[in-house]
Amino acid sequence: MNIEEIKDRLSRFAEERDWEQFHSPKNLSMAIAAEAGELLEIFQWLTEEQSIEIGNDDNEMALIRQEIADIFIYLIRLADKLDVDIEQAIKEKIELNELKYPKDIAKGSAAKYNRL
């Protein structure tokens, strides 16, 4: 996947529909939260086991893929609006997490870094 190509395609899509006026950072961040809520709703009342087994249900997986795509689309648009290099931001965050969660301390623990 080439994020730059996707970013350009999404930008053209919005421009062709005169939607740039609606794609402010505030609105895009709210759209991310709304779409994440729709993804959460799919899993809301499932047990842990059911949430794992959902991968075997083609209909549910189609919905999950759509919600994940919606979240990622809005995230790319937000990054574009704020001139954030997503790939660089991810690399930096992984490096930060490696410092915050040293493997010898964090291994097997779900505790937040300040509680390890």
Side-chain angles (χ1 to χ4, degrees):
M1 176 189 330
N2 183 317
I3 292 177
E4 285 300 313
E5 287 177 12
I6 294 170
K7 182 178 79 170
D8 292 342
R9 186 170 177 189
L10 291 171
S11 181
R12 280 193 313 275
F13 181 89
E15 287 173 14
E16 290 169 353
R17 288 154 181 82
D18 192 25
W19 287 356
E20 288 292 332
Q21 62 184 315
F22 307 118
H23 288 186
S24 67
K26 176 192 77 73
N27 288 352
L28 291 166
S29 65
M30 292 171 70
I32 291 167
E35 295 299 337
E38 291 181 19
L39 179 61
L40 179 62
E41 185 178 30
I42 294 169
F43 293 94
Q44 184 172 10
W45 302 114
L46 301 181
T47 65
E48 291 294 321
E49 185 176 321
Q50 288 170 326
S51 73
I52 294 167
E53 292 298 319
I54 202 168
N56 298 322
D57 185 323
D58 291 340
N59 292 329
E60 290 296 313
M61 285 305 300
L63 295 172
I64 290 168
R65 283 192 298 275
Q66 289 176 21
E67 297 307 339
I68 289 172
D70 285 340
I71 293 164
F72 197 58
I73 286 168
Y74 286 129
L75 185 62
I76 289 173
R77 292 292 294 148
L78 179 61
D80 188 21
K81 289 292 182 176
L82 296 176
D83 199 28
V84 172
D85 181 329
I86 292 175
E87 292 181 52
Q88 184 60 36
I90 290 170
K91 289 175 187 175
E92 290 170 4
K93 185 62 178 178
I94 290 170
E95 290 171 6
L96 179 62
N97 284 344
E98 288 172 341
L99 294 173
K100 289 167 51 174
Y101 297 95
K103 63 184 171 186
D104 56 325
I105 297 172
K107 188 171 185 173
S109 173
K112 190 172 179 176
Y113 67 92
N114 61 351
R115 299 213 172 170
L116 288 172

